[in-house]
Amino acid sequence: MRTAPHLSRRALLTAATASVTAGVAAAAAAPSQASVAHHSPLSAVSAGFRTVGRVKKAADGSVQYTWPGIVFEGRFCGTGVGIVLDDSANDYDVQIDGTTVSTVVTPGRTTYWVRDLADTAHTVRLVKRTESPWAVARFGGFVAARGGKVLAAPAARSRQIEFIGDSFTAGYGNASGTRDCSANGGVDRNSNADLAFGALTARKLDADYQQNAFSGRGMVRNYNGGEPGTDYRTYYDRALLNVVGDVWRKPRGWRPQVVVIGLGINDFSTPLHPGEPWATQSELIAAYTSAYHGFLDKLRARYGSRTFLVVSATPVSGTAFADTAQGIVEDRNSRGDDRVGYWHYDDPGLDRLGCDWHPSLRDHRIISGLLDQHLATLPLDW
């Protein structure tokens, strides 16, 4: 299988690289019509929505967030719904009654409206498609059109999955259809976390999920040795990725039955450079192995002994990644933890036609199917 020559080029996302263009693309499907009212007050209607993903409540009642794949779900009765947002960095899909009616591109501070719906009860789902580790977005709630009302928030799902990973987990450039996406909108316009493999699998299982992905980050080494002194673990415990010292407060009800971990592509996909902490690949493997065990210990302490921890790997630049990941799982199993498993995914149908040789939308559907098969082998009691 051909190894991708470019992986997680978005590794070095910083404020300096966050160039965004404000605007709204409202391609609403009939019978809905989308419109925008600018400079709306950002006041939350917290009783009218529920959140899927890691967020932080602000003092004004709005919700702040940076991770990809954050979802807000609500219910309303009437002919339209407004979505209160303050975000000049990200793209969103708006779904009404299970159908995507529009994509909102870097909306800024606004109330985005979907109108001309049948005058009845509806569901609304807002999903953050893109990554923004450098920029905090805010959601202020759903508001009903005149004559309608926001209904009680949907109930939480009993099944829960957490996805931990890099650009593959985030859905980096998956909607491009061409590896060089510089001429068709760039990475942001071509990324859709909601169509990444984890989100696809979670929806098939009717599970709530977290998509805790950060492109270009590895367990101990970032893509091509970038930003030394940091790695995925630097950010994992945060709700807001760009706030040093921020700590996500785990809700009492968040206890996933499965955690799928995909960290290692960036550690092993590029050769070591002079001056890096590891002089040889053997030293890198040793550091990676030690850090991975520590990370699994953290997850065990947080979620308990019943949660299944799935260590994943995929072919990249030789076999070091896969072999090391499998060895870590075998070591955990030998210590008596039989709820740590190994999932190696690959398929001859993968075309890697996303930006920079990343999985395409078709690839993510294939990988999701492979994950479905793996999860079906676990004795999950959910």
Side-chain angles (χ1 to χ4, degrees), residues 1 9 14 17 20 28 32 37 60 63 91 116 128 161 176 217 251 270 282 292 297 314 340 376:
M1 177 180 173
R9 187 168 53 85
T14 63
T17 63
V20 296
S32 304
D60 65 357
V63 176
D91 297 355
D116 298 332
K128 180 175 179 280
I161 309 176
S176 173
R217 302 292 166 170
T270 56
S282 295
Y292 215 126
D297 290 341
T314 192
V340 178

Side-chain angles (χ1 to χ4, degrees), residues 27 29 93-96 98-103 194:
D93 276 348
V94 180
Q95 298 165 2
I96 303 294
T99 298
T100 299
V101 299
S102 57
T103 296
D194 202 40

